Amino acid sequence: MLRSVGQRRVTGSSEDPRVVELRLSVSRLRRELAAHPGEFSDRAVAEDELASLDAMALSGVPEILRLRRSLLLVAGAIGSVSALAAALSEVRNAVELFGVPHR
């Protein structure tokens, strides 16, 4: 299903919409990474961190510092692959929905 910029998927559950958005964006990037034909040295790092992000999202409201750390690792691993830029941007936007970590 295609969504316009700024629109959120409506769910009938009590699930946190930020978590839903994170799961959707991580899923999209994982699919696009799996379909990407090129090999690069940090592909395994990106795949591992995307799996970690998915696991955090499945567990409920994730820890913000861990989300940001995983995002940085994914971005560092695939940041130069322009074909994945839009999906990576969606993941970044989903992580930003959780706000700034409290110290």
Side-chain angles (χ1 to χ4, degrees):
M1 176 175 134
L2 294 176
R3 290 177 285 155
S4 297
V5 174
Q7 286 186 328
R8 300 282 184 247
R9 181 176 288 192
V10 177
T11 62
S13 72
S14 62
E15 192 172 18
D16 186 332
R18 299 172 303 169
V19 172
V20 172
E21 196 65 29
L22 180 62
R23 290 179 62 200
L24 290 171
S25 63
V26 167
S27 177
R28 175 184 174 199
L29 183 52
R30 288 178 89 181
R31 283 190 316 272
E32 289 188 17
L33 179 59
H36 185 69
E39 283 301 318
F40 47 94
S41 60
D42 290 337
R43 185 182 195 116
V45 171
E47 291 169 344
D48 289 347
E49 287 305 317
L50 286 169
S52 178
L53 281 167
D54 190 47
M56 284 187 262
L58 285 172
S59 70
V61 178
E63 181 183 332
I64 298 169
L65 289 175
R66 287 188 64 209
L67 279 178
R68 291 182 179 275
R69 177 188 174 278
S70 289
L71 175 61
L72 285 173
L73 289 169
V74 171
I78 64 173
S80 64
V81 181
S82 61
L84 302 174
L88 178 59
S89 181
E90 281 187 17
V91 172
R92 181 184 53 83
N93 291 337
V95 168
E96 288 178 353
L97 292 173
F98 289 90
V100 178
H102 299 281
R103 295 190 189 260

